Amino acid sequence: MSTDKFKNKYRIASARASWWDYGWNGAYFITICTKNMDHFFGEIENGQMRLSKIGILADVFWHEIKNHTENIELGTFVVMPNHIHGILVLDKPENKIIETVETLHATSLPATQKNQFMSAISPKSNSVSTIIRSYKSAVTKHCNRLKLTDENSLIFAWQTRFHDHIIRNDVEYQRINDYIENNPLNWEYDKFYKNE
């Protein structure tokens, strides 16, 4: 079965690298943006991020990742007005390979062609995709539970996707680390800059 169509409906191709298993050990530079690049997380004042209530949740739940995921380290992280940047390091023991596919709604039903297809395209447990999906879900759930909106009464939402970059060496890791740490100071030059 082609993965381009399911039940004659097109699916959006993954932005992930097809040659890489995102459950493999490695360091990943993650960027997640808010829907429409709206400033849900707060504002930059004098080169420092001033977090809104939603921004505080985005910060807290990122740091909670290590309490809900095995064999992970959190690198540098920053919440910006309309996006977050962070480094995730998967560091599973050499002999521990996780092959479990997490169930996504109907995939736990008896095996059918649909379930086999969904299992093939579903993210594996303890992979970058499942970690980010869980993080985004936690922030959204608690924003909704607390009825948090921005100053224009917009209901919080993420962009549907996220950006990742597989960090290939120590030099690149340090460059990305420095970029994240200095992001608030360089906000006006950031590609995600949107003056509200």
Side-chain angles (χ1 to χ4, degrees), residues 16-155:
R16 313 280 75 83
S18 60
W19 48 270
W20 185 263
D21 182 332
Y22 285 85
W24 287 346
N25 286 348
Y28 301 88
F29 173 35
I30 306 297
T31 301
I32 315 173
C33 298
T34 60
K35 186 175 183 180
N36 300 321
M37 304 301 285
D38 289 328
H39 286 210
F40 284 108
F41 298 142
E43 297 299 333
I44 302 290
E45 293 179 4
N46 300 319
Q48 293 195 351
M49 183 63 190
R50 188 167 157 243
L51 295 173
S52 66
K53 290 178 182 175
I54 298 172
I56 291 169
L57 287 179
D59 184 76
V60 167
F61 283 110
W62 182 268
H63 292 92
E64 280 293 311
I65 289 172
K66 66 184 180 302
N67 297 325
H68 301 280
T69 307
E70 293 182 352
N71 308 306
I72 193 163
E73 295 174 31
L74 300 177
T76 307
F77 171 73
V78 68
V79 178
M80 297 294 287
N82 58 10
H83 66 282
I84 62 101
H85 288 305
I87 296 176
L88 293 177
V89 180
L90 295 184
D91 189 21
K92 300 172 195 164
E94 288 300 317
N95 296 328
K96 186 173 184 180
I97 299 172
I98 299 173
E99 293 292 338
T100 311
V101 175
E102 289 192 355
T103 57
L104 299 175
H105 304 292
T107 57
S108 59
L109 297 173
T112 65
Q113 188 176 14
K114 175 183 177 182
N115 294 336
Q116 290 169 353
F117 175 77
M118 291 304 294
S119 291
I121 65 169
S122 296
K124 292 184 175 60
S125 177
N126 209 38
S127 68
V128 172
S129 293
T130 57
I131 293 164
I132 298 304
R133 180 182 61 201
S134 177
Y135 167 73
K136 290 172 68 175
S137 176
V139 174
T140 303
K141 175 183 174 183
H142 288 280
C143 285
N144 291 339
R145 181 178 63 83
L146 297 169
K147 296 181 173 50
L148 298 179
T149 59
D150 73 355
E151 64 275 359
N152 299 317
S153 299
L154 288 175
I155 297 171

